Amino acid sequence: MTTVAHARRTRLLAAAVALVGALAAWRALLPAWRVPTPTRANLPEERMQDFRDALYFPIREFLDGGNPYHPAVMFAHWPVRQNFNLYQPYHLLLHAPFALPGYRVGAVAFALASLVLLLALAVLAAGRLRPHVPLALGTAVVATLLLLSQVGKAQLYVGQVNPLIAVGAAGALLARDRHPRWAAVALALAWLKPQFGLPLALLLFARGSRRVALTGTAVAAVASLVVLAPLVVRDGVGSFLDAVAANLEHAGATAYGAVDSMTAQRVDVAAVVHRVTGWLPPGAEGLVLVGVLLVSAVLARRLDRAGAVEVADLLTCLAVVVCVVHQPGDVLIAVPSAAAVAALWWRGRDRWLGWALLAVAVPFAHLHFVGTAVRDVLGPRVDVTVDGVALVAAWVLVVVAARSART
């Protein structure tokens, strides 16, 4: 009877949490429904701005025979505020179904697809909690917390592609030993943004999953060639390389993306150090990329040998986020590994891991009213820096925990 009553209470709790999550999902989807059709007069519109600038109109430009990677082309032809960054070319085909209908229909469809991917990410996270929490309850709790958090809401509010990348990264880490073929496909999805795919592939290779790293990278490359070939043939190699150079130059000079910008929300080590200290040594970004990956690779291998795979996965995800250009929402890839480490911490209460988990939670808790309070009290520079400081600190804390791992 006690077991039956406990199961009933668990089901009721899961249903109650799921109801809260459903309400949060509805609120998160409303911006896609209410967003106006883009015009040059409403360029400052934030609702679905990533969908507008990084998906809908770049795909439209590609389908019309143009090169969306050239900033001047996009700004001349479409009502966009940001340039189309160097996403993998296969992105232009993978997400084409969302750019074929009218803008409102495409925006709502993409938001719904992103919601499904967030739920899939919650299932993956709950699976790593399964020895301690029933799958249904764990999924409901994680999904609801995601949809109530700043990171989760931002995916649907601005129309980011991070849910797909996060599912790909989590899938690559979870399946790399038992299902290497599926792990390779998942890694190929994480390659959608090279600043995710490159460090993740290198760390997987260093941790012994060489077949996954090489195959996943090859799948992404072949898929991209399908789109890249027509662009190069049509414009010529020289013109395409000029477009790539212009793209990099533009991205490096923007207030939201430059490493030395005091207003950018970048969370990588180089950008965070500059905003905190005002100091940026020559070649800082390259040094950070190499240094973070090298340290993380060595310690992740040590953690794998010690049987602390969960901590190694979290270290891998945090290293991906802090080693090269990233924004606060990119920490979404760490959700399943953070859930696994939370369960591990609950058993062992390692203080370094506990503080690391709290630091990882900072971007999720950085809600609008929190940001407003921080700006009012400490100023806008602190508001755009606090998430980066927290994530860099989380990586450092996991590194400290990893150094004490027994091999």
Side-chain angles (χ1 to χ4, degrees):
M1 182 64 68
T2 302
T3 302
V4 173
H6 177 72
R8 184 179 302 164
R9 286 196 298 271
T10 299
R11 288 195 296 269
L12 288 174
L13 179 59
V17 174
L19 178 60
V20 175
L23 294 174
W26 172 251
R27 286 177 58 85
L29 288 170
L30 286 179
W33 178 259
R34 294 173 175 172
V35 65
T37 301
T39 65
R40 299 196 185 278
N42 61 15
L43 285 181
E45 175 63 59
E46 293 182 346
R47 289 174 294 182
M48 303 303 290
Q49 68 174 12
D50 278 18
F51 173 77
R52 176 194 67 195
D53 296 349
L55 194 151
Y56 191 82
F57 288 121
I59 293 175
R60 287 279 189 165
E61 176 66 25
F62 171 70
L63 295 177
D64 286 352
N67 184 353
Y69 290 106
H70 202 301
V73 170
M74 290 302 300
F75 291 137
H77 294 173
W78 305 101
V80 296
R81 187 171 64 166
Q82 301 175 6
N83 70 305
F84 177 57
N85 292 323
L86 296 179
Y87 289 76
Q88 285 284 351
Y90 74 73
H91 161 66
L92 298 170
L93 282 185
L94 180 66
H95 289 116
F98 300 108
L100 295 177
Y103 184 81
R104 179 73 61 78
V105 174
V108 172
F110 182 74
L112 286 170
S114 297
L115 175 61
V116 171
L117 288 167
L118 287 177
L119 294 177
L121 189 67
V123 171
L124 293 175
R128 307 197 76 170
L129 296 171
R130 199 167 186 176
H132 314 282
V133 181
L135 184 63
L137 177 59
T139 300
V141 169
V142 175
T144 299
L145 289 175
L146 271 178
L147 292 169
L148 291 173
S149 73
Q150 180 63 23
V151 169
K153 290 193 299 182
Q155 310 306 315
L156 303 182
Y157 187 81
V158 299
Q160 294 180 334
V161 297
N162 287 339
L164 177 62
I165 294 172
V167 170
L173 290 169
L174 286 169
R176 65 191 185 95
D177 292 328
R178 294 186 178 181
H179 307 286
R181 292 183 180 178
W182 285 112
V185 173
L187 175 61
L189 292 176
W191 261 104
L192 180 64
K193 289 183 179 181
Q195 70 264 41
F196 283 97
L198 175 63
L200 181 58
L202 290 174
L203 289 171
L204 285 172
F205 188 91
R207 292 177 63 185
S209 299
R210 297 180 179 180
R211 177 182 172 188
V212 171
L214 295 175
T215 305
T217 300
V219 169
V222 171
S224 289
L225 282 175
V226 175
V227 178
L228 187 62
L231 286 174
V232 173
V233 169
R234 186 170 59 222
D235 300 334
V237 175
S239 295
F240 182 79
L241 292 178
D242 288 342
V244 171
N247 190 295
L248 292 171
E249 182 180 0
H250 179 86
T254 58
Y256 61 85
V259 66
D260 57 354
S261 170
M262 289 298 182
T263 59
Q265 290 187 322
R266 284 177 53 167
V267 297
D268 50 290
V269 173
V272 170
V273 168
H274 178 69
R275 284 202 303 277
V276 171
T277 67
W279 177 62
L280 187 68
E285 291 182 280
L287 291 173
V288 166
L289 175 63
V290 174
V292 169
L293 290 182
L294 184 60
V295 170
S296 301
V298 171
L299 293 177
R301 287 174 60 88
R302 176 185 294 184
L303 288 165
D304 285 335
R305 291 194 298 269
V309 177
E310 302 91 343
V311 183
D313 286 350
L314 180 59
L315 179 61
T316 297
C317 291
L318 290 175
V320 168
V321 172
V322 304
C323 74
V324 71
V325 183
H326 279 289
Q327 309 295 329
D330 296 347
V331 75
L332 192 69
I333 70 168
V335 168
S337 58
V341 171
L344 186 68
W345 172 83
W346 186 256
R347 294 197 304 268
R349 302 297 175 94
D350 182 291
R351 70 179 186 277
W352 300 115
L353 292 180
W355 286 113
L357 291 170
L358 284 176
V360 170
V362 168
F364 292 90
H366 196 163
L367 300 166
H368 176 70
F369 70 89
V370 174
T372 300
V374 172
R375 285 193 299 273
D376 290 343
V377 176
L378 301 173
R381 180 172 168 181
V382 174
D383 182 49
V384 298
T385 305
V386 64
D387 290 343
V389 170
L391 293 177
V392 172
W395 176 76
V396 172
L397 288 165
V398 177
V399 165
V400 173
R403 290 189 62 186
S404 62
R406 296 180 179 179
T407 58

